[in-house]
């Protein structure tokens, strides 16, 4: 059976945990001596570099807000997703699972939402810009550099408005002489856990009877309730009286599995040719059938230094991904059915025929066709899962080739051509015994959707670096860049196939059901950029950049704009008064101001193009025609973000304590938005520049090397992020909100705007309830304006739709050959509209399963004990009350705060003396547990994806992995 939900840990307890970790780290650090031979020297710190876009700088010379994540950190959690691998590792970066379903991936937001259309950062993988990096194998990634502030991201101009993540894959540049072989393999078992507690058969039966009580206590008798079911649902009554309770969890859920296998070959020859070749296989099986993903990756990187003047290289990454998504309604239907219903057919005596599925358990019949249960038309979830197919097949690849000419020691020219392609096919097929089949009166249906993308980027850059005397270091980058992307799409559909053909014979469907469409679009971006870096005596730092972008998707006269930035740095630790300080190892102040942008609209948006097919009557003939769906906006222009950032980098006690603190103020204006229009206009919507949004926050990163000795090392890392997101203005003013488009001034983007649920009207409040047109047992609303009535003016913003603060804690301990590490992430102060509770806490739905909950029961004559509960209204349609306020969803907002232990890993590395005879350089075995604990008040599936669509929402799981890593 699934593990019971581990929940409801108090805030007081969470604070104790945090204090304990902080105290432990401090005490251990204070007690441990500092052996000089084990501490990284400041010289080694200087050697570290940071990728800042079209180049790199020494870590000590960085003036912007940039975080680097190395390959060791990325590989440590042994996940199939690159974003999950770095979750919680960087302050200011919010990463969450989208749904919990295999293949649905993770989303990243840097420093808060700053766009109404989308706030995903720009990913640049080996020079190829893209929207996501789910296709990559985490073990192919050499490093990620996250450019968070506008000064750092301004070199990417129009595409850096939501931050930039530069992903560098492993190439031959770091390969050692000779041949090196690395092999990693692991296998893990995934089990559902922390499952919400649902009603038992007896609990649901009581709920069901209360929902059917009449309004008058005089007619509320046990006999009256029993008569409601005895004729059309005798089996349900028999099961209720017998204490029957079917476990739908056990019937639907199964253990999943996760596999990860990786082989890497690298080397360098004497003639300057270096290579890196890798092949990876990853498999992730979900918790129900037809929920899985397989990913195959091939990676090749080559670099060649031809001579002192010329060098060249290439990187190629190809991925084949097959994702089984099953039905978008599979999990939705899996737990909707009452525990008094089962998936099995029955015989003439009402006994279950286990193994023989019955398609509509809520419409169960005896073999002769008479009713056994007549309650709900929810399909059998086992039939929905077995007869639904959504298979996404993706081929995705990126490649780049560069040629560099070192004309002088201080002057170089580099040209890079990078290209990417994505071929995606989503095939869906639904049998007769599915939700889709029910909607089509028992017909089968199939569809194929294809999307093919091709893009290229051609960058030409000139780098000049020179030192004048011993004090003045200059570097200048000049860049010309051209980007091109095109999409080709097609869609075909039919239904009524005579037999199960899957997606491979759409032509066998009924011709009148055929649907066919196709599309094409392209986008280009031309850019010119320059960046100047200057350092005086290594103490006073200046970075200035500008980028001039021209986008094809914006209107004439608005296509080109400029994105400048400037940043200053002061290395205080280099000053004479701190130069040989035994306490302060590194201290640097940073300040930056920069502008980035966004042209986040589809091609042709500013033109009145014909994109909606319609038909006109020409006498007796039907004539096909076209019309425009959206009102064209010829004045649509760039979103532009101004960001001011102040930062402090520090290192103490020979860098035993290091970290950064950043404070930022980001204002994004001219936000592009798909604005809904009144039907009277004749258009559905238009894209407009509607307003501005502010993001202000603070970020903290702290790393402490608590113990460093020959046999024992202990390192901890803390991150803290607080971001305040606020819609500042719309339509040129800051007083009146646009409620219809959910643009609420003074609130975050996409706020929870609704009535405030204030409990349940009690029987003692009958007279007061009547003044509002309501009765005891109905949902109570807060009369916010005090006018003695409930109406739309009583709506307000409920909680915060984004976390008020986030944090993480990472610990790594090495003792001899053993290593132990764990990581914790937390989101606090976030309120979401829970789709889980909208289904399973909906008291107006009388026929389906519910979460184990308390609810109002009136005084009655049916022998059911009254319950003056104030948490949930009285079951039944009357719970909606006057104006159907309950139907607005006001009762389904939940606090989704959580503390989650992301992984716990224990490994053992064999000593070299044992491996030398086997010709093995390194061998480590380990056990790793993913998501073992969650502390939360949220009682749905998982707080991390609490707001995801209900049909694809998934229960939480724990994955236990066993693996080994060998190097030859």
């Amino acid at each position: 059976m699934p593990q019971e939900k581990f929940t409801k840990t108090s805030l007081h307890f969470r604070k104790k945990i945090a204090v304990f970790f902080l105290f432990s780290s401090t005490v251990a650090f204070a007690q441990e001596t500092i052996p000089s031979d084990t501490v990284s020297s400041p010289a080694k710190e200087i050697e570290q570099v940071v990728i800042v876009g079209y180049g790199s700088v020494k870590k000590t010379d960085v003036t912007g807000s940039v975080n680097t994540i190395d390959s060791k950190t990325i590989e440590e959690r042994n996940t199939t997703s690159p974003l999950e691998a770095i979750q919680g590792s960087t302050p200011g970066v919010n990463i969450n699972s989208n749904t919990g379903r295999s293949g649905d991936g993770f989303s990243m937001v840097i420093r808060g939402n700053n766009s109404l259309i989308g706030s995903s950062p720009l990913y640049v993988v080996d020079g190829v810009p893209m929207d996501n990096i789910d296709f990559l194998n985490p073990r192919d990634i050499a490093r990620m550099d996250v450019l968070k502030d506008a000064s750092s991201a301004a070199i990417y101009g129009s595409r850096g408005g939501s931050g930039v993540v530069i992903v560098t894959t492993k190439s031959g540049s770091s390969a050692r002489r000779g041949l090196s072989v690395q092999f990693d393999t692991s296998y893990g078992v995934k089990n559902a856990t922390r499952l919400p507690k649902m009603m038992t058969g007896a609990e649901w039966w009581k709920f069901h009877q209360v929902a059917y009580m009449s309004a008058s206590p005089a007619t509320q008798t046990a006999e009256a309730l029993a008569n409601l079911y005895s004729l059309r649902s005798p089996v349900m009554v028999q099961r209720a009286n017998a204490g029957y309770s079917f476990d739908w969890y056990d019937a639907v859920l199964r253990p999943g599995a996760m596999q990860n296998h990786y082989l890497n070959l690298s080397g360098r020859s004497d003639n300057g040719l270096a290579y890196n070749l890798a092949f990876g296989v990853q498999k992730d099986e979900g918790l129900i059938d037809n929920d899985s993903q397989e990913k195959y990756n091939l990676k090749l990187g080559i670099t060649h230094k031809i001579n002192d003047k010329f060098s060249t290289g290439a990187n190629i990454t190809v991925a084949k991904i097959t994702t089984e998504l099953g039905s978008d309604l599979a999990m939705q239907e899996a737990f909707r059915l009452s525990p008094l219903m089962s998936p099995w057919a029955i015989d003439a005596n009402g006994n279950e025929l286990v193994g023989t599925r019955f398609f509509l358990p809520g419409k169960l019949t005896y073999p002769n066709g008479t009713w056994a249960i007549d309650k709900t038309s929810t399909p059998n979830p086992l039939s929905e899962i077995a007869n639904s197919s959504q298979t996404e097949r993706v081929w995705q690849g990126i490649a780049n080739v560069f040629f560099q000419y070192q004309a002088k020691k201080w002057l170089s020219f580099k040209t890079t051509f990078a290209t990417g392609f994505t071929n995606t096919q989503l095939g869906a097929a639904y049998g007769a015994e599915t939700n889709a089949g029910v909607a089509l009166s028992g017909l089968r249906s199939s569809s194929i959707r294809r999307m093919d993308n091709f893009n290229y980027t051609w960058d030409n850059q000139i780098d000049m670096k020179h030192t004048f005397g011993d004090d003045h270091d200059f570097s200048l980058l000049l860049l010309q860049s051209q980007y091109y992307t095109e999409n080709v799409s097609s869609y075909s559909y039919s239904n009524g196939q005579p037999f199960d053909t899957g997606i491979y014979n759409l032509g066998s469907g009924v011709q009148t059901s055929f649907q066919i469409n196709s599309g094409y679009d392209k986008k280009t971006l031309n850019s010119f950029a320059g960046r100047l870096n200057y350092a005086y005596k290594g103490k006073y730092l200046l970075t200035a950049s500008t980028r001039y972008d021209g986008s094809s998707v914006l209107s004439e006269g608005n296509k080109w704009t400029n994105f400048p930035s400037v940043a200053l740095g002061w290395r205080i630790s280099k000053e004479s008064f701190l130069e040989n300080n035994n306490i302060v190892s590194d201290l640097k102040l940073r300040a930056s101001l920069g502008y980035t942008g966004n042209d986040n609209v589809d091609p042709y948006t500013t033109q009145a193009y014909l994109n909606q097919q319609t038909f006109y009557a020409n006498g007796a003939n039907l004539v096909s025609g076209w019309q425009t769906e959206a009102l064209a906006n010829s004045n649509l222009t760039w979103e532009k973000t101004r960001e001011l950032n102040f930062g402090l980098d520090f290192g103490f006690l020979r860098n035993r304590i290091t970290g950064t603190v950043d404070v930022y103020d980001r204002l994004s204006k001219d936000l592009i938005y798909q604005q809904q229009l009144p039907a009277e206009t004749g258009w559905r919507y238009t894209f407009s520049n509607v307003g501005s949004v502010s993001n202000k926050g603070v970020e903290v990163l702290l790393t402490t090397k608590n113990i460093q000795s020959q046999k024992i090392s202990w390192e901890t890392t803390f991150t803290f992020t607080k971001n305040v997101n606020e819609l500042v203005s719309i339509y040129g003013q800051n007083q009146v909100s646009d409620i219809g488009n959910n643009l609420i001034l003074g609130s975050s983007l996409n706020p929870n705007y609704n009535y405030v649920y204030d409990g349940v009207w009690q029987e003692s409040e009958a007279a007061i309830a009547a003044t509002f047109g309501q009765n005891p047992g109905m949902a109570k609303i807060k009369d916010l304006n005090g006018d003695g009535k409930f109406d739309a003016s009583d709506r307000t913003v409920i909680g915060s739709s984004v976390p008020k603060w986030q944090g993480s804690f990472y610990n790594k301990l090495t003792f001899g050959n053993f290593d132990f590490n764990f990581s914790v992430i937390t989101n606090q102060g976030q309120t979401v509209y829970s789709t889980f509770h909208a289904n399973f806490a909906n008291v107006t739905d009388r026929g389906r399963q519910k979460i184990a909950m308390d609810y109002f029961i009136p005084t009655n004559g049916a022998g059911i004990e009254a319950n003056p509960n104030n948490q949930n209204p009285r079951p039944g349609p009357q719970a909606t009350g006057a104006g159907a306020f309950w139907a607005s969803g006001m009762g389904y907002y939940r606090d989704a705060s959580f503390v989650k232990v992301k992984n716990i890993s224990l490994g053992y590395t064999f000593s070299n003396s044992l491996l030398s005879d086997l010709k093995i350089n390194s061998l480590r075995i380990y056990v790793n547990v993913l998501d073992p604990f969650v502390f939360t008040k949220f009682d749905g599936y998982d707080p991390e994806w609490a707001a995801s669509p209900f049909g694809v929402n998934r229960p939480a799981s724990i994955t236990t992995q066993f693996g080994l890593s060998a190097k030859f």
Side-chain angles (χ1 to χ4, degrees), residues 44-93:
K44 289 186 178 180
E45 296 293 333
I46 295 176
E47 295 299 324
Q48 297 181 14
V49 297
V50 173
I51 306 298
V52 291
Y54 307 102
S56 62
V57 298
K58 291 186 295 186
K59 182 179 179 181
T60 53
D61 290 347
V62 172
T63 55
S65 182
V66 183
N67 286 107
T68 299
I69 308 159
D70 59 23
S71 60
K72 190 174 182 180
T73 302
I74 297 169
E75 296 172 8
E76 214 156 41
R77 288 181 187 167
N78 198 36
T79 67
T80 58
S81 166
L83 291 185
E84 185 180 11
I86 64 171
Q87 191 176 20
S89 63
T90 304
V93 177

Side-chain angles (χ1 to χ4, degrees), residues 546-734:
T546 185
R547 178 160 173 147
Y548 194 52
D549 277 337
S551 173
S552 66
V553 300
L554 297 176
S555 59
E556 292 295 334
N558 293 308
K559 293 183 181 295
W560 288 89
T561 194
N562 185 42
F563 301 97
S565 75
V566 63
L568 300 172
W570 178 25
R571 292 198 66 199
I572 307 174
S573 55
K574 296 287 286 184
E575 297 289 355
S576 57
F577 55 86
L578 285 178
E579 196 164 10
N580 297 312
N581 192 284
N582 293 325
I583 303 279
V584 179
S585 311
D586 187 26
L587 193 62
K588 179 172 65 177
L589 283 174
R590 295 178 280 106
S592 67
L593 174 66
Y595 291 84
T596 52
N598 197 339
D599 59 347
N600 197 10
V601 291
D602 292 330
Y604 323 121
T605 298
T606 60
Q607 303 174 27
Y609 67 111
L610 302 176
N611 64 331
Q612 188 174 33
Q613 190 172 19
T614 186
F615 296 90
Y616 303 90
N618 183 12
N621 298 319
L622 199 62
V623 180
S624 176
W626 291 87
Q627 64 184 21
T628 180
E629 186 178 24
L631 174 64
N633 182 355
S634 60
N635 295 316
L636 192 68
T637 187
W638 295 89
E639 289 185 356
K640 214 162 189 179
T641 296
R642 182 271 301 153
E643 184 169 2
L644 182 64
N645 190 96
F646 295 97
L648 173 68
D649 301 335
F650 58 84
F652 301 114
L653 301 177
R654 302 187 67 181
N655 287 332
R656 292 286 293 275
I657 301 175
T658 58
T660 63
V661 178
D662 280 274
V663 179
Y664 60 88
D665 181 352
R666 170 189 285 184
L667 181 67
S668 302
K669 64 178 184 177
D670 293 329
L671 301 182
I672 300 174
Y673 187 54
Q674 183 175 316
Q675 183 182 359
Q676 303 302 311
L677 298 175
E680 292 81 2
T681 65
W683 290 282
R684 291 178 55 194
Y685 60 86
T686 186
F687 284 92
S688 303
N689 299 104
V690 300
S692 60
V693 63
S694 167
N695 282 281
K696 297 179 181 179
V698 59
E699 302 166 354
V700 179
L701 171 66
L702 175 66
T703 299
T704 61
K705 298 175 182 178
N706 308 308
I707 301 176
Q708 282 193 307
S709 65
Q710 291 182 346
K711 289 188 176 181
I712 303 175
S713 67
W714 177 22
E715 181 178 310
T716 59
T717 299
F718 304 86
T719 71
F720 172 82
T721 302
K722 180 174 178 59
N723 181 78
V724 178
N725 180 256
E726 179 184 353
L727 182 63
V728 176
S729 67
I730 54 173
Y731 314 130
Q733 54 87 41
N734 59 7

